[in-house]
Amino acid sequence: MGNIVKLIEDFLLKNVWGVIIAGVIASILGSFLCYIFRKIVDYLREKLQIRKKKHNTIKYALSFYRGAAAEYSKYSSYRQILLVGDIIMDALYVGLKIVVYLLIAIIFINLLNDVFLDLTIIAIVSFMIYPQLSKFKDIRKAYELTYDHIFGKDFTKKCIDGAFETLEKEQKEKDDVPNEKSVK
């Protein structure tokens, strides 16, 4: 039995296909853990009538805060800078959490010499990163909605069109100015 485990471990660590298969197994295991956790939470919510009142209150308060801050900053560039800075800080915080989870996983993977424990660590870390990615998507969506509310939905298109028009104007001005060497 020990010989079979050693052969599997050698295949997963020393063969290119083994590394690919180990990654696929870890991804599947992480997805399975997320699915199981979600089903357990749904079951507990249904059977024990657990409510997410606190979570919903925080989510509602955050959405209200983002909307009120966007409306308040609509007419002041200083407040717009603070609002964008707040969104950037939130995104950096979530991004740093993801990086810390990955670094801790890498440290544990380097310390342990067992493939199955490594796969378990990867699955657990992917399970921990999933909510952070959801938060990151929510922050990005809030930024886009705030940006559209403050500057208007066609602001980006106007900026891009203005940049192309300016570039074309500069090119025409360069073409219209005679070359000094040709004048002599």
Side-chain angles (χ1 to χ4, degrees):
M1 183 67 180
N3 192 21
I4 294 172
V5 172
K6 182 68 177 162
L7 287 173
I8 292 172
E9 187 174 316
D10 287 341
F11 174 73
L12 293 175
L13 292 176
K14 296 179 181 175
N15 191 340
V16 175
W17 287 106
V19 173
I20 293 171
I21 290 171
V24 169
I25 291 171
S27 297
I28 291 170
L29 189 58
S31 299
F32 182 69
L33 282 175
C34 286
Y35 177 78
I36 293 290
F37 181 73
R38 182 166 298 199
K39 288 299 180 182
I40 290 171
V41 168
D42 289 343
Y43 175 78
L44 290 174
R45 189 178 301 137
E46 182 181 315
K47 293 296 179 183
L48 303 176
Q49 297 177 351
I50 296 174
R51 301 189 187 239
K52 291 177 37 177
K53 185 175 183 181
K54 181 180 176 184
H55 176 71
N56 289 340
T57 303
I58 291 172
K59 191 172 181 180
Y60 176 77
L62 183 63
S63 299
F64 181 80
Y65 159 74
R66 294 269 190 227
E71 184 61 35
Y72 192 61
S73 66
K74 190 169 186 176
Y75 301 107
S76 171
S77 61
Y78 176 70
R79 291 186 184 112
Q80 291 171 5
I81 292 170
L82 290 177
L83 181 64
V84 171
D86 183 40
I87 291 173
I88 289 172
M89 292 303 291
D90 288 345
L92 282 175
Y93 178 69
V94 171
L96 285 175
K97 275 179 149 178
I98 292 171
V99 169
V100 167
Y101 291 151
L102 291 174
L103 286 176
I104 290 172
I106 290 170
I107 290 170
F108 278 122
I109 287 171
N110 285 331
L111 291 176
L112 301 173
N113 290 328
D114 189 18
V115 175
F116 298 111
L117 287 177
D118 293 345
L119 291 175
T120 305
I121 289 171
I122 291 171
I124 291 170
V125 167
S126 62
F127 179 69
M128 293 169 63
I129 288 176
Y130 176 75
Q132 302 305 319
L133 290 175
S134 297
K135 286 181 186 177
F136 193 75
K137 288 178 185 177
D138 290 343
I139 291 170
R140 182 173 177 228
K141 183 178 177 184
Y143 175 75
E144 289 172 355
L145 290 173
T146 303
Y147 187 86
D148 289 345
H149 179 71
I150 292 173
F151 297 111
K153 293 187 180 198
D154 57 341
F155 179 76
T156 305
K157 186 174 187 289
K158 287 179 184 177
C159 288
I160 293 172
D161 292 343
F164 281 122
E165 288 174 7
T166 305
L167 183 66
E168 288 174 0
K169 235 186 248 186
E170 287 178 1
Q171 289 295 331
K172 284 184 181 179
E173 288 175 2
K174 275 187 179 180
D175 292 341
D176 291 343
V177 174
N179 195 351
E180 292 180 12
K181 291 181 181 177
S182 64
V183 173
K184 292 181 180 180

